[in-house]
Amino acid sequence: MDALLGVLQVATVAAVLVVAYRPLGDHMARLYSSTRHLRAERVVYRLIGVDGSAEQSWPAYLRGVLSFSIAGVLALYAIQRLQAVLPQSLGFPAVPEGLAFNTAASFVTNTNWQSYSPDLTLGYAVQLGGLVVQNFVSAAVGMAVAVALIRGFARVRTGTLGNFWVDLTRGVVRLLLPLALLSAVALMIGGVVQDFTGFTDVTTLTGGTATIPGGPVASQEAIKMLGTNGGGFFNANSAHPFENPTPWTNALQVVLMLVIPFSLPRTFGTMVGSPREGRAIALVMALFFVVSLTALTIFELRGAGTAPELAGGAMEGKEARFGIIGSALFGTTSTLTSTGAVDSMHDSYTALGGMMPLLNMMLGEIAPGGVGSGLYGMLVLAVITVFIAGLLVGRTPEYLGKKLGPREITLASLYILVTPTLVLTGTALSFAIPAVRADVEATSIWNPGVHGFTEVLYAFTSASNNNGSAFAGLTANTPWFNTALGVAMLLGRFVPIVLVLALAGSLAAQDRIPATAGTLPTHRPLFVGLLAGVSVVVTALTYFPVIALGPLAEGLN
């Protein structure tokens, strides 16, 4: 029965994504291509002093992204530090400095890493006025950057990529707000909590007392999933019955995580004038997703040991109402996007099962990746793939009629080096600096040995890739992890954005090269296979030595 329910969830999710691919993708293409501004958007432009009809060069577009994000970090940090004097704080004190910095960096970068118990740390003012606001705008920033790169491929001999403030506003007003509203209503129908009751004391059947938390959960849950954010209202995240009560709400939340990222390739294909190019990108994403989901499901169903054999699989850390397949579907989705939400505890997976979420993030979260970030990550890998193919046949590489010269390849190469550098450096420093290592081993790692190493590796992989999920056996609310992971989140988000916008500017300035008999077709199965292979070689294999030291060593022991 559990297996059948899991298969039905997977089939339902796949069907919804197929149906939504074309209409949602085309809607987003129209949204970002329209020259008409809605009245609400014009009000926003006047309030922030922006000319909605003005175009920006890539440096100006980048300045908009960075200035908006810096302001977001400062505002969210201030709200947390002032929590004690804010209304609806539920009596919670101000968030400590280190944790406030980490949380501000986390939500502005779309990571949503949480080193605290949300329902016991943050009141409604911070949850709604700080975290939920960033859930909307951080997702809109990612989509804006992706659209700027698409314009780089689509435009010819121009120095502009659009207007960041217009793209940001439209992403929120025309896409995220309407979809989040509908999703929140659906979640409320499914039993997700939405109130402002705070904590309610009740008498149990045994005569004791229990405290039941409430809160505006459904409204936060909707955008948390839709914007691939991931930060939970409760400490158990989507394993909590108030956030995710039934198998069908579990499937709905998976759909919400995937629907925009999997539709963005259609947006790409429509905006560059070749929908089949978008289909090729979507096929690569789907291929990785199916392989990862299959592997994780097999590892968890075949968990070794007496208890897993009696339970029909490794059920430790999983909710019985979701089962192994439902949990694997959610975990795969969460780590192949940048969501990081969990409906089961990844730290309790089998050794090889726990390796799969780690590999999903190490792949660069490109299948389909975060809202916006997954698409621009995959397009950068497409540039690398075309370059390698050009070397093999002795021709100047070109993609979508744009020549890929030294500048473009340098930018793409630097892009794929950023995250591995952050992950490996952060993990190494955690064990190489004597004082830090002593503190980590004494206060953070509760599972010493190989698994403890994997917990630290997972933390830096999650932070650097802006995912936010964790191996929960690691205590991360310490000065070292709050600072190091916060820095990793900021660099992992904004250094790639700088490189992507520079690449977009370089492409937009070019003329279009006519296709010839020697041009590599980038919409056919050959290119799909090449892109998949290059993605594995230049991303996931970079981490093979640390994977061998962590989950592989544990799994083969």
Side-chain angles (χ1 to χ4, degrees):
M1 185 62 183
D2 288 342
L4 177 61
L5 186 62
V7 171
L8 284 175
Q9 284 192 51
V10 174
T12 301
V13 169
V16 172
L17 294 178
V18 170
V19 170
Y21 174 78
R22 182 167 184 165
L24 182 56
D26 288 347
H27 170 68
M28 289 188 285
R30 290 191 299 269
L31 182 160
Y32 289 110
S33 302
S34 174
T35 57
R36 188 176 70 90
H37 305 290
L38 301 180
R39 180 179 299 177
E41 294 167 352
R42 292 196 294 270
V43 170
V44 173
Y45 304 151
R46 285 197 295 270
L47 288 175
I48 61 178
V50 168
D51 180 0
S53 61
E55 291 267 325
Q56 294 177 317
S57 64
W58 80 261
Y61 203 100
L62 175 62
R63 285 195 295 272
V65 172
L66 295 180
S67 61
F68 179 76
S69 300
I70 291 171
V73 171
L74 295 176
L76 185 50
Y77 178 85
I79 291 174
Q80 293 177 86
R81 296 292 295 142
L82 294 171
Q83 175 171 248
V85 299
L86 294 176
Q88 291 292 320
S89 65
L90 304 182
F92 291 134
V95 180
E97 294 94 332
L99 182 58
F101 162 72
N102 182 278
T103 304
S106 175
F107 279 78
V108 171
T109 59
N110 201 245
T111 308
N112 292 40
W113 172 275
Q114 294 174 298
S115 298
Y116 56 92
S117 298
D119 47 321
L120 299 177
T121 306
L122 302 179
Y124 299 156
V126 177
Q127 291 270 23
L128 294 177
L131 305 191
V132 172
V133 169
Q134 287 303 322
N135 283 349
F136 279 98
V137 297
S138 66
V141 168
M143 289 191 292
V145 174
V147 169
L149 180 57
I150 294 173
R151 292 187 184 122
F153 285 109
R155 295 182 175 185
V156 294
R157 288 188 290 184
T158 181
T160 61
L161 297 174
N163 187 308
F164 167 71
W165 304 103
V166 171
D167 294 338
L168 173 72
T169 305
R170 288 183 176 184
V172 172
V173 172
R174 300 193 193 185
L175 183 67
L176 295 176
L177 272 173
L179 289 180
L181 177 60
L182 293 174
S183 303
V185 172
L187 290 170
M188 290 169 62
I189 293 172
V192 178
V193 172
Q194 181 74 17
D195 59 42
F196 290 89
T197 59
F199 297 93
T200 303
D201 293 326
V202 298
T203 302
T204 66
L205 294 175
T206 61
T209 59
T211 301
I212 299 177
V217 182
S219 56
Q220 182 165 331
E221 196 75 10
I223 188 57
K224 145 190 166 180
M225 298 302 184
L226 196 61
T228 61
N229 295 283
F233 194 93
F234 299 106
N235 192 37
N237 207 281
S238 288
H240 198 292
F242 288 180
E243 285 197 31
N244 190 10
T246 65
W248 84 260
T249 60
N250 193 65
L252 174 59
Q253 292 187 16
V254 171
V255 168
L256 293 179
M257 285 188 272
L258 294 174
V259 68
I260 293 178
F262 260 127
S263 297
L264 275 171
R266 171 71 184 190
T267 304
F268 163 68
T270 301
M271 291 182 70
V272 299
S274 179
R276 58 188 184 178
E277 297 287 349
R279 283 197 297 270
I281 297 296
L283 282 174
V284 178
M285 292 177 171
L287 175 64
F288 280 126
F289 189 92
V290 170
V291 170
S292 178
L293 173 60
T294 302
L296 178 55
T297 303
I298 291 173
F299 288 143
E300 294 304 292
L301 285 173
R302 296 186 177 181
T306 303
E309 289 175 2
L310 291 174
M315 282 298 295
E316 179 187 336
K318 299 178 181 66
E319 294 296 309
R321 65 186 185 277
F322 303 141
I324 288 179
I325 297 178
S327 300
L329 173 63
F330 196 104
T332 299
T333 300
S334 175
T335 51
L336 276 174
T337 62
S338 66
T339 312
V342 296
D343 73 347
S344 58
M345 300 300 107
H346 297 178
D347 199 26
S348 296
Y349 284 6
T350 62
L352 295 180
M355 178 182 69
M356 293 311 301
L358 191 58
L359 284 176
N360 291 343
M361 294 185 291
M362 289 175 170
L363 189 64
E365 296 175 340
I366 53 172
V371 170
S373 61
L375 178 62
Y376 65 67
M378 184 63 85
L379 292 179
V380 169
L381 287 169
V383 167
I384 296 290
T385 301
V386 172
F387 173 69
I388 293 173
L391 292 179
L392 293 176
V393 298
R395 291 186 58 86
T396 301
E398 58 188 74
Y399 184 44
L400 300 177
K402 296 300 179 76
K403 179 180 177 182
L404 303 178
R407 175 177 171 80
E408 290 77 23
I409 299 305
T410 299
L411 291 169
S413 300
L414 289 174
Y415 178 97
I416 63 175
L417 291 174
V418 172
T419 304
T421 300
L422 293 173
V423 172
L424 299 178
T425 301
T427 304
L429 291 177
S430 296
F431 294 101
I433 302 175
V436 172
R437 176 173 181 170
D439 180 64
V440 168
E441 292 179 343
T443 62
S444 295
I445 296 179
W446 295 93
N447 299 288
V450 172
H451 194 75
F453 171 80
T454 304
E455 289 176 345
V456 176
L457 175 64
Y458 194 105
F460 278 99
T461 303
S462 178
S464 302
N465 283 282
N466 301 138
N467 183 268
S469 64
F471 266 19
L474 182 75
T475 300
N477 188 11
T478 66
W480 165 252
F481 281 119
N482 278 333
T483 303
L485 294 177
V487 171
M489 292 179 225
L490 292 169
L491 294 178
R493 173 72 161 181
F494 295 112
V495 173
I497 283 178
V498 171
L499 298 171
V500 166
L501 290 177
L503 175 61
S506 180
L507 293 170
Q510 295 184 30
D511 202 349
R512 193 172 304 281
I513 302 172
T516 65
T519 299
L520 172 68
T522 53
H523 61 276
R524 294 179 179 170
L526 174 63
F527 181 74
V528 170
L530 280 173
L531 179 53
V534 169
S535 299
V536 172
V537 171
V538 302
T539 56
L541 291 185
T542 305
Y543 298 99
F544 182 76
V546 290
I547 289 289
L549 291 173
L552 269 181
E554 184 179 3
L556 297 175
N557 187 357

